[in-house]
Amino acid sequence: MTRRAWGTGLLLSCWGLSASILLTILLFDLGYPLFLKIWDLPGTLGWTAERLLRQVDVLMDYLTLPWVTALKFPDLPSSKSGLYHFLVVKLLFHFCQAVFLGTSIGMITTKPWRWLPSSWYRTWALLPLGLALLAVLVGFDQFFIWFHQILFPGDSSWLFDPATDPIILLLPQDAFMLAFICCGILYELYFIAWYLYAKRKERR
């Protein structure tokens, strides 16, 4: 492939990945009241659903809104390590937002879908399938550990202690697994749609 194809293909991929991540975050935020019922967190933790939702709302506002610069839960303590990890996650979320905005401008100006071949989309559509297969083979627990070790090298602040950071009790591992699955499906659908579009265009 030419340098132009790689450049615009990378642009399209970054837009799709950042959009999938941001949409997953939004869906998680909107769907959390339903998750409370599914996991029966009020019954398990002995708090009302409204009280639990307040903690998660504060966390999501901090992670996603640039103008929210301090994290203080209404009813929960936090350790320095936990606050540091959430700060790093906040910066990653804002980086993802910046990538989405930047690549959106690039998508509008370059319109890469007009000429990229269907084979390019097919290749990138296989990536989430490969990651899904790896997660199945090694188990989500191990995949989750590898993910954090790669994303946060040399940093163990993501290993929360419920005694000092009880917010982690409101975010069971199933929540992260659902987020990975949702993001992977959105990313996969994104490239399948482009692949079908390019294939149809090539048949004309």
Side-chain angles (χ1 to χ4, degrees):
M1 293 179 68
T2 65
R3 182 177 297 179
R4 182 191 179 201
W6 278 110
T8 52
L10 183 61
L11 169 69
L12 194 143
S13 300
C14 289
W15 188 91
L17 180 58
S18 60
S20 299
I21 293 173
L22 294 178
L23 185 54
T24 297
I25 294 170
L26 176 61
L27 292 175
F28 175 83
D29 195 15
L30 295 176
Y32 189 77
L34 177 61
F35 299 149
L36 282 180
K37 296 180 180 179
I38 294 175
W39 299 319
D40 190 27
L41 291 181
T44 302
L45 301 178
W47 283 17
T48 64
E50 291 75 16
R51 192 178 182 187
L52 295 176
L53 283 172
R54 283 199 302 270
Q55 319 307 313
V56 176
D57 285 342
V58 167
L59 175 61
M60 295 306 296
D61 286 347
Y62 173 74
L63 294 179
T64 59
L65 303 178
W67 55 87
V68 179
T69 58
L71 176 60
K72 184 174 178 58
F73 296 106
D75 302 298
L76 297 176
S78 299
S79 69
K80 289 184 179 180
S81 176
L83 291 175
Y84 172 76
H85 179 70
F86 284 131
L87 173 61
V88 175
V89 173
K90 176 181 176 68
L91 295 176
L92 289 175
F93 278 14
H94 293 336
F95 175 74
C96 185
Q97 293 166 343
V99 170
F100 175 75
L101 292 175
T103 53
S104 294
I105 296 173
M107 291 277 284
I108 294 172
T109 56
T110 64
K111 298 179 174 63
W113 58 84
R114 294 188 302 180
W115 58 275
L116 277 174
S118 60
S119 59
W120 190 92
Y121 298 109
R122 183 179 63 239
T123 300
W124 279 90
L126 295 175
L127 178 61
L129 296 179
L131 292 176
L133 178 61
L134 176 63
V136 170
L137 291 176
V138 303
F140 182 75
D141 289 351
Q142 184 61 54
F143 180 82
F144 189 69
I145 292 173
W146 286 347
F147 172 81
H148 280 81
Q149 289 176 339
I150 293 173
L151 199 60
F152 309 106
D155 179 10
S156 62
S157 62
W158 60 273
L159 295 169
F160 282 86
D161 181 355
T164 56
D165 291 285
I167 185 64
I168 197 62
L169 298 175
L170 280 65
L171 303 170
Q173 189 161 298
D174 286 350
F176 295 101
M177 183 171 65
L178 286 175
F180 274 96
I181 292 173
C182 179
C183 187
I185 290 175
L186 290 172
Y187 188 78
E188 185 72 15
L189 291 175
Y190 170 77
F191 274 105
I192 289 176
W194 281 124
Y195 170 77
L196 295 176
Y197 168 81
K199 201 70 176 176
R200 181 179 178 184
K201 192 175 181 181
E202 290 168 356
R203 292 195 186 108
R204 294 176 182 174

